[in-house]
Amino acid sequence: MATVGSSARLQFNMAQVQTRYGSQLNDLYNSKLANKYGKYSTATQSLNDLLNSNKLKNKSSMFRDQFSDLYKKIYGISGDGEDTSSVSTAQAVKTASANAGGAAQSIQSFANSLKYGGELDADAYKAQAQSFVDSYNSMIDKVGNSDNASVLQKGVLMVNTGKVYSSSLGRAGITVGADNKLSLNDDLSNVSASDVKFVFGKNGFTDKVIQKSRQINEISGGSGQFTVKPTTSDNTVKPADKVDNVGTLKELTAMVKDAATAVKSYAHGLGKDGGEFMVTDFTDTAKDFVEKYNNFIDETAKSDKAGIQQKGVTMQGTARAYQHALKRAGISVGQDGKLSLADDLSNVTEKDVKYAFAYGGFTDKVAQKADQVKSLASSASAMGYNANRTSTYAYNTGALFSLYA
């Protein structure tokens, strides 16, 4: 007897083979044979009954072969007739969705940093894209084998969205296969920054993946937290070298807040009560802020807590959003979201510094994220974390701050 879960699972797997088999699916659904004969413990026995039914036994051998092939694809039956489908645990789905969401956010931040018509670092993009493709495909596998009807329904929407974006993904060097999984092309020489920014930037495919990943994660018992896996330019994911750096983070959060407040106060005081702009004074203040900020970003990336890692990623995205204002004050934002102070600040004016820092904006965001990281670090510390327990707290409780607060 078909259950809600098995029906949703069938729908998901049928979506996976739609591209390859097209209208042949109607022969399975319209005949309603699957509902009538799908009563045995294995899909293999049900297939045998279907092939011997009055509806199919007189069909041509080619039709029967095609129908058999389609049925096996839907139910995950291997060539030797054994049912190879295995139900994914809620934990497996939860972990896969957290990884996919993190990879989607990472490549989105990378894409947002690009300029339409600008240059594309092919190696950096390849690393980001491969990490995203691997994580996305793993989630599709786990979701497709879930027995949770709600998870499977979200999976159907996900793979259908992939089809909608297939042309845009193709221009970015990624192919959507007949099984709705993604594959990264070996040759990315024709991919432009505009192509990457269009499909992976804000309001692109990654927004849909992030949304569905979070929903699947929450349905599976998670709290919508994503796992970030930093990539290297040699197209590999960095090894699991995360550390329990709660003590260091607590010190850094206070330091980066003080540095942010100092540069804001300096800019705000210019032109008031004799506050005169001096390049040397600004250089010292800005240099301290840049150094503390970069150390803060480095330590959040090293953390073994998924929530803390994500706050760092969000902060990097915020830096890119303020990059034009910061540039006027002689501070550039790299593709990694870290800051660098120009060697020559002689062209920086009081107006530039006030524009960048006097009214908060970026420095207020830094202070806000520092407070959130401090709270996350304190909460994780109270749970007795160590370097070998990376994200159980984030996945299994709702106590952490929202990533998008």
Side-chain angles (χ1 to χ4, degrees):
M1 184 176 195
T3 65
V4 175
S6 63
S7 297
R9 189 175 180 185
L10 174 63
Q11 184 185 8
F12 178 86
N13 288 324
M14 288 186 73
Q16 287 189 305
V17 298
Q18 176 72 50
T19 303
R20 179 175 296 175
Y21 293 98
S23 62
Q24 294 179 45
L25 291 170
N26 293 330
D27 293 313
L28 180 61
Y29 255 26
N30 293 339
S31 68
K32 299 183 180 179
L33 290 172
N35 290 332
K36 182 177 180 180
Y37 291 97
K39 58 187 177 181
Y40 295 93
S41 59
T42 65
T44 303
Q45 184 61 52
S46 296
L47 173 60
N48 291 334
D49 279 355
L50 283 167
L51 293 175
N52 291 323
S53 68
N54 291 332
K55 287 281 187 179
L56 295 182
K57 67 181 181 181
N58 295 323
K59 294 285 187 180
S60 68
S61 60
M62 179 178 294
F63 180 91
R64 285 164 56 83
D65 286 344
Q66 289 178 336
F67 184 91
S68 177
D69 189 22
L70 169 61
Y71 188 94
K72 289 176 181 179
K73 290 289 184 182
I74 291 175
Y75 284 98
I77 305 174
S78 64
D80 58 7
E82 294 298 321
D83 189 347
T84 60
S85 59
S86 58
V87 177
S88 300
T89 64
Q91 180 63 45
V93 175
K94 185 166 57 178
T95 300
S97 59
N99 289 337
Q105 282 203 318
S106 181
I107 197 170
Q108 185 180 69
S109 293
F110 173 82
N112 285 340
S113 72
L114 302 174
K115 294 181 179 179
Y116 285 112
E119 293 186 4
L120 176 68
D121 183 333
D123 289 335
Y125 170 60
K126 187 175 183 180
Q128 291 283 348
Q130 190 64 63
S131 177
F132 171 72
V133 165
D134 291 343
S135 298
Y136 178 90
N137 288 343
S138 177
M139 180 174 66
I140 293 300
D141 274 337
K142 298 303 181 186
V143 168
N145 285 326
S146 173
D147 59 1
N148 184 311
S150 296
V151 167
L152 286 158
Q153 288 163 359
K154 298 299 181 186
V156 171
L157 295 175
M158 176 74 78
V159 296
N160 287 337
T161 300
K163 293 176 186 176
V164 171
Y165 280 88
S166 59
S167 295
S168 298
L169 287 166
R171 289 193 293 274
I174 294 177
T175 301
V176 181
D179 58 358
N180 288 300
K181 289 186 179 180
L182 308 180
S183 60
L184 183 64
N185 300 343
D186 292 330
D187 184 7
L188 300 176
S189 59
N190 292 324
V191 176
S192 68
S194 297
D195 294 329
V196 175
K197 192 174 181 68
F198 180 81
V199 70
F200 290 123
K202 186 177 180 181
N203 298 322
F205 179 55
T206 45
D207 273 351
K208 308 300 183 183
V209 175
I210 289 167
Q211 180 190 50
K212 289 296 177 287
S213 296
R214 187 182 304 112
Q215 292 172 347
I216 290 169
N217 185 267
E218 292 173 346
I219 291 170
S220 303
S223 56
Q225 300 283 346
F226 291 149
T227 302
V228 181
K229 294 183 178 179
T231 56
T232 61
S233 59
D234 61 354
N235 198 32
T236 60
V237 176
K238 288 183 178 179
D241 57 353
K242 305 303 178 188
V243 297
D244 186 1
N245 56 350
V246 167
T248 302
L249 276 168
K250 287 181 178 178
E251 293 180 3
L252 265 178
T253 54
M255 294 170 66
V256 74
K257 277 189 67 177
D258 287 344
T261 300
V263 72
K264 176 182 176 181
S265 297
Y266 172 82
H268 193 68
L270 292 175
K272 299 179 180 180
D273 299 327
E276 182 181 356
F277 175 67
M278 300 287 292
V279 172
T280 53
D281 291 341
F282 170 67
T283 300
D284 291 340
T285 305
K287 184 177 181 180
D288 184 60
F289 171 66
V290 167
E291 180 182 347
K292 297 298 192 306
Y293 171 88
N294 288 341
N295 287 340
F296 175 72
I297 294 298
D298 283 339
E299 288 301 319
T300 57
K302 291 178 185 177
S303 176
D304 62 359
K305 288 78 181 174
I308 291 175
Q309 294 173 34
Q310 190 55 50
K311 291 301 179 187
V313 172
T314 304
M315 190 68 261
Q316 290 168 293
T318 302
R320 297 187 187 101
Y322 282 89
Q323 62 183 332
H324 298 298
L326 291 169
K327 186 176 181 180
R328 287 183 57 170
I331 297 175
S332 58
V333 182
Q335 286 195 349
D336 57 0
K338 294 170 72 173
L339 309 180
S340 59
L341 186 65
D343 294 330
D344 183 6
L345 299 178
S346 59
N347 292 325
V348 175
T349 67
E350 176 181 315
K351 185 177 180 179
D352 293 327
V353 174
K354 289 180 73 69
Y355 180 82
F357 296 116
Y359 308 105
F362 180 58
T363 51
D364 286 348
K365 298 293 185 183
V366 172
Q368 179 189 53
K369 287 295 176 286
D371 282 337
Q372 291 174 355
V373 168
K374 182 179 179 180
S375 180
L376 289 170
S378 298
S379 298
S381 179
M383 293 295 291
Y385 265 96
N386 59 54
N388 294 319
R389 298 174 62 193
T390 56
S391 45
T392 305
Y393 180 70
Y395 292 148
N396 292 316
T397 80
L400 295 182
F401 278 92
S402 168
L403 298 181
Y404 304 97

